[in-house]
Amino acid sequence: MSGCLIWDASGNVKLNTSDRLGRFLGTYTATTSDSSVTVTGADQGDVVFAVTSTGDNTLGAVPHVVISGSTLSWTWGDIGPAYRFPAIIQVFVH
Amino acid sequence: MTGLAVINDSYTTQFDENFKTLNCTQHSTATMTQTSAWPTTPVQMATLSFYAAAPLIAFRCAYPAVVWKYVQDSPGHWIYYIVSQQATSGTSLEYWIFEPILASQIATPSVGLEVYNASGELTFSSEMKFLKITDTPVKAAVIQCLLSATRIVDYNPDLQNPNPVPGHPTTGQTADSFKMVGAAVNGNTVSYSLDTYDFITYWGTPDSTEVSWAQTPTSYILVDVSGY
């Protein structure tokens, strides 16, 4: 066995060598036009992301977001300009 | 490569000095109540309102429940809308909020191991409540229900589409539809059940092509929150 073991004060293992932890790679802003950015650290494991509208609560439209390699891309499709607000994309890896 | 990196048995980095580990900072419950957002179908909804830096939400409900939409309406303030068709009014929903670790969230004086990046920011502390991922299942989508047995003719502005789909592949018709897939975790184990909802507003009666086209597989992250 190799790696790091962490115990709590009661002697229970908090972190084992087989555990998979989530880490935060960063926050990116999707503009209201189709575009893409490069994500640093996307090669660290499996990437997941959360897309959040900055618009009104009811009109919470967000773009369609995909990641391929280190490239995070977004497209707005049929969503009209009136419903587009910059979207926050939080990127995580595990 | 310089600095510290701890690798697990599967050769994936558990923590290092470059990226902040995710830490459970809040644990609470919410109650579902019936919402009028879907006028033709009773839907229970819980609204979560909280402050966080860059949250990931884990939640557990006795019935399949899904995040309908969420918004950051002001810096650091988030609102999540979680809905369920099978829940009843008063159903409890338990949730945990994970954020990139902040030094202020760790009790001082602390013991154990802490890791900082070159800017002096904490990236890992053995005192934290880690986001521990136990499984990442993928569920093939299956349409369970439609909002209307026939169709909804009028466009409902309350049904703004957080997950739009493109126009129909052959007719170009636009369906204001959104897919929601829910999971229910039972008890304190990793056993779970999955369910799928497709709330679709059609301009016409859905045909088999549209139904098939509206389905996509969805992946989940199961998180160990024991003791959190």
Side-chain angles (χ1 to χ4, degrees):
Chain A
M1 184 175 70
S2 60
C4 181
L5 282 170
I6 295 176
W7 289 267
D8 65 17
S10 302
N12 303 310
V13 175
K14 283 187 67 177
L15 180 68
N16 211 328
T17 57
S18 60
D19 286 340
R20 194 159 187 155
L21 303 188
R23 293 184 296 149
F24 180 62
L25 295 185
T27 297
Y28 299 84
T29 299
T31 59
T32 54
S33 300
D34 298 353
S35 189
S36 64
V37 294
T38 300
V39 175
T40 303
D43 59 347
Q44 298 271 313
D46 292 337
V47 174
V48 296
F49 52 81
V51 187
T52 308
S53 172
T54 58
D56 175 81
N57 289 349
T58 302
L59 306 177
V62 295
H64 177 63
V65 178
V66 296
I67 189 162
S68 177
S70 296
T71 302
L72 187 74
S73 307
W74 59 89
T75 54
W76 288 89
D78 294 335
I79 300 175
Y83 301 114
R84 297 183 184 184
F85 297 88
I88 299 167
I89 307 174
Q90 299 167 150
V91 185
F92 308 87
V93 67
H94 64 87
Chain B
M1 185 176 72
T2 60
L4 173 70
V6 174
I7 314 295
N8 70 7
D9 290 344
S10 303
Y11 302 102
T12 299
T13 301
Q14 286 180 316
F15 59 90
D16 67 7
E17 63 178 30
N18 295 317
F19 299 106
K20 294 183 177 180
T21 311
L22 296 170
N23 176 34
C24 181
T25 58
Q26 300 175 59
H27 171 210
S28 189
T29 58
T31 301
M32 290 197 159
T33 57
Q34 186 164 326
T35 175
S36 59
W38 288 269
T40 58
T41 305
V43 172
Q44 307 297 320
M45 182 166 76
T47 303
L48 315 182
S49 174
F50 57 86
Y51 285 89
L56 265 186
I57 305 296
F59 60 89
R60 177 163 58 197
C61 184
Y63 302 94
V66 299
V67 176
W68 171 31
K69 60 184 181 181
Y70 53 97
V71 65
Q72 183 180 203
D73 63 344
S74 63
H77 184 246
W78 302 78
I79 303 173
Y80 275 67
Y81 301 90
I82 299 177
V83 297
S84 173
Q85 267 200 321
Q86 295 182 16
T88 57
S89 185
T91 294
S92 178
L93 181 136
E94 193 172 10
Y95 64 96
W96 295 259
I97 299 171
F98 291 86
E99 302 177 70
I101 187 171
L102 296 175
S104 59
Q105 294 164 339
I106 303 300
T108 56
S110 58
V111 296
L113 175 66
E114 291 184 341
V115 180
Y116 294 83
N117 63 19
S119 301
E121 298 171 323
L122 186 65
T123 63
F124 176 85
S125 169
S126 58
E127 293 288 278
M128 66 192 293
K129 298 174 179 175
F130 319 115
L131 175 71
K132 296 169 68 172
I133 295 161
T134 61
D135 199 4
T136 54
V138 176
K139 167 78 162 76
V142 177
I143 287 186
Q144 297 285 332
C145 63
L146 297 175
L147 259 185
S148 167
T150 55
R151 62 181 181 178
I152 299 172
V153 176
D154 296 327
Y155 178 69
N156 185 339
D158 288 335
L159 295 178
Q160 287 296 328
N161 185 357
N163 296 303
V165 292
H168 189 285
T170 56
T171 67
Q173 179 187 46
T174 297
D176 273 295
S177 61
F178 51 89
K179 164 178 286 301
M180 300 191 294
V181 183
V185 180
N186 303 308
N188 293 318
T189 70
V190 295
S191 65
Y192 57 93
S193 62
L194 305 175
D195 207 348
T196 305
Y197 301 103
D198 283 72
F199 294 82
I200 300 178
T201 304
Y202 282 98
W203 267 263
T205 303
D207 59 30
S208 58
T209 302
E210 290 170 319
V211 171
S212 173
W213 148 71
Q215 300 176 64
T216 54
T218 300
S219 60
Y220 300 82
I221 295 176
L222 298 183
V223 178
D224 183 358
V225 293
S226 304
Y228 290 3

